[in-house]
Structures are given as C-alpha cells and as structure tokens.
Amino acid sequence: MHLSIIIPAFNEERLIEQCLQSVYASLATNSQPGFTSEIIVVDNNSTDNTANLARQAGARVVFEPVNQIGRARNAGAAEATGDWLLFVDADSILNPELLADILQLIEGGKYVGCGSAIRMEGLPWWADGVLKLWTVTSVMFRWAAGALVVSRSDAFRDVGGFDQELYAADEVTLSQKLKKWGQQRGLQFVILTKHPLESSARKVQLYSGREIAGQILRVLLRPRRTLQDKKHLSVWYDGRR
C-alpha cells in the first residue's frame, strides 16, 4: 500500500509544523512491511513562511496560485503517486489511532473511502452544540468534514476530485460522488468515530458568534450562490489567522 497524505495550506506558519509532526509520528507508529507513504503540502499562495517550514520538515511542497481549498486539494492529488489519498487540513492533528483505523479500513478491501468525526478543544457551549449536530449529520448521511477525507486514488480521479466551482463544502459533494462510485462496485464510504481527528478551534476564537451565525445562515438560505463566491465566505477566506 502506498498512501499519499495531502495537506492544503494557506498562511499556516503557526500550525504547519505541528500538523506535520503529528503526521510523521502517526506514520512511524503504524509502520509495517509493504506500507509506504509520501507527504505533500500544497502552498495555496501563502504570503508567510508556510512553504519553507514544510520543506524543512521534509514534506514535498506543491504550489497552487488560486486561493481556493478545492483547487489546493486537487493540485496535491495531481502530484500524488499513492494508491490512496488522505487529505488533512494544516490546522489539524492526525493521531496514530485514527491512522490505524484508516489503514485497517483500507486493508479490509470493502471501502472506497472515509471521513472522520472531529474534536475541538475549548469550544463555547453554542459551538460545541453546532459541532455535535454536524457529527450526527455527518455520520447519518456519510458526509466527510473537510478536515479529513480519505479516498481510493482511482475513485477520486474517476469522479473528478473536489468541485472547483465551490469555495466551501466541496467535501460534501465529493462524499456523495464517492458513495455513488462505491455503490456501483460494492464498496462503502463511512465516517470513522472511534478516534476523532483533533482540529483547531481558532475560527471560534477569531470570529464572533454573530459572524459565524451569519455565515451559516447565508449558506443555508442561498447555498449555491454563497458557496460559489468566496466574497460571501469570509470565515474561510478573509485571511484571519
């Protein structure tokens, strides 16, 4: 098995080293004969030291000039050589137990891919409630959170990868396409819950509850119009770090 780990990163100099350290530690813990891997960091037109820090940590760095998460993920996938693709956000921590669950799923031969439940520390009560609601929805509909998506590389390419018309929620449409691809071949797409991915709660710290609620409301009321224009997605694209 050859696994490509792809990390999209835009101005992530504060967190990229911690993310990469967690990836290397998880790979070392799960080392086994016949298992190889590569780590690709996609510099999504950063203006800080993200790319240099990633190179210094030993990752391969790919440049994507258009600041869009789907394009960054697709750019990494285009350079990947793995049989499987694991996309993880730069503000997340990949724990060894979750990687073990992913590798076990891959080795079982019954799945086209998976997502993971997400854990965030230090959330206020309202944000914790939103995360719990998302977790229930994610597991029920088998929609991956963008912080972690795993896919067979052939399936990913067959379905066209992440939808580049969307500036957010492209992981949901990819999940739907992978489920359909898998169903035609007797394969499943699931959400892993035993060892959740640890992701940063910085958006809750950087944005007010009113700003986040407004962002969610815009997506719910005008989903296509909002998701296709990053000017309407300030929580993702205004650059606060």
Side-chain angles (χ1 to χ4, degrees):
M1 181 203 313
H2 185 46
L3 177 67
S4 296
I5 298 176
I6 300 165
I7 306 171
F10 169 64
N11 287 351
E12 293 289 1
E13 64 180 6
R14 294 183 179 181
L15 298 176
I16 189 64
E17 291 175 298
Q18 185 179 22
C19 175
L20 286 168
Q21 288 169 4
S22 76
V23 170
Y24 283 119
S26 294
L27 289 171
T29 300
N30 288 282
S31 176
Q32 55 184 284
F35 172 46
T36 57
S37 62
E38 63 180 354
I39 302 173
I40 300 172
V41 172
V42 184
D43 172 18
N44 197 196
N45 206 23
S46 298
T47 57
D48 65 4
N49 205 34
T50 296
N52 288 332
L53 291 173
R55 290 190 187 94
Q56 291 170 12
R60 179 183 175 192
V61 177
V62 172
F63 181 69
E64 168 51 53
V66 179
N67 186 212
Q68 180 184 12
I69 188 66
R71 286 182 181 273
R73 290 166 175 156
N74 286 341
E79 297 293 328
T81 60
D83 310 301
W84 284 78
L85 309 175
L86 189 162
F87 300 89
V88 61
D89 280 359
D91 65 345
S92 297
I93 301 297
L94 182 64
N95 63 76
E97 295 81 9
L98 174 56
L99 182 57
D101 292 343
I102 292 169
L103 296 179
Q104 185 177 16
L105 176 146
I106 291 173
E107 291 168 351
K110 298 180 180 179
Y111 298 89
V112 61
C114 68
S116 171
I118 306 297
R119 180 178 68 246
M120 294 182 182
E121 298 294 337
L123 291 175
W125 66 268
W126 60 268
D128 185 60
V130 171
L131 181 58
K132 288 178 179 177
L133 177 61
W134 162 255
T135 300
V136 171
T137 303
S138 172
V139 172
M140 180 181 299
F141 292 101
R142 292 175 292 152
W143 291 347
L148 186 136
V149 183
V150 180
S151 173
R152 279 177 46 159
S153 60
D154 57 345
F156 181 86
R157 294 184 174 100
D158 283 352
V159 302
F162 289 93
D163 187 346
Q164 293 185 179
E165 291 187 359
L166 303 178
Y167 282 84
D170 49 326
E171 64 274 8
V172 173
T173 59
L174 179 64
S175 299
Q176 294 171 330
K177 291 188 290 186
L178 288 175
K179 283 190 294 182
K180 183 177 180 179
W181 191 95
Q183 288 170 353
Q184 295 170 349
R185 295 161 178 81
L187 301 172
Q188 300 178 55
F189 186 90
V190 297
I191 306 300
L192 302 176
T193 59
K194 189 174 181 181
H195 301 105
L197 178 78
E198 181 182 342
S199 194
S200 169
R202 65 181 174 185
K203 283 187 172 60
V204 177
Q205 299 163 355
L206 293 170
Y207 296 86
S208 68
R210 177 179 293 181
E211 286 177 305
I212 293 174
Q215 184 73 92
I216 293 172
L217 189 61
R218 281 193 295 273
V219 171
L220 292 176
L221 293 178
R222 297 181 175 179
R224 296 297 295 185
R225 179 179 176 182
T226 302
L227 295 172
Q228 289 180 336
D229 189 345
K230 70 178 181 180
K231 291 185 293 185
H232 300 309
L233 296 165
S234 58
V235 171
W236 280 272
Y237 288 99
D238 74 358
R240 291 189 214 178
R241 289 291 185 271

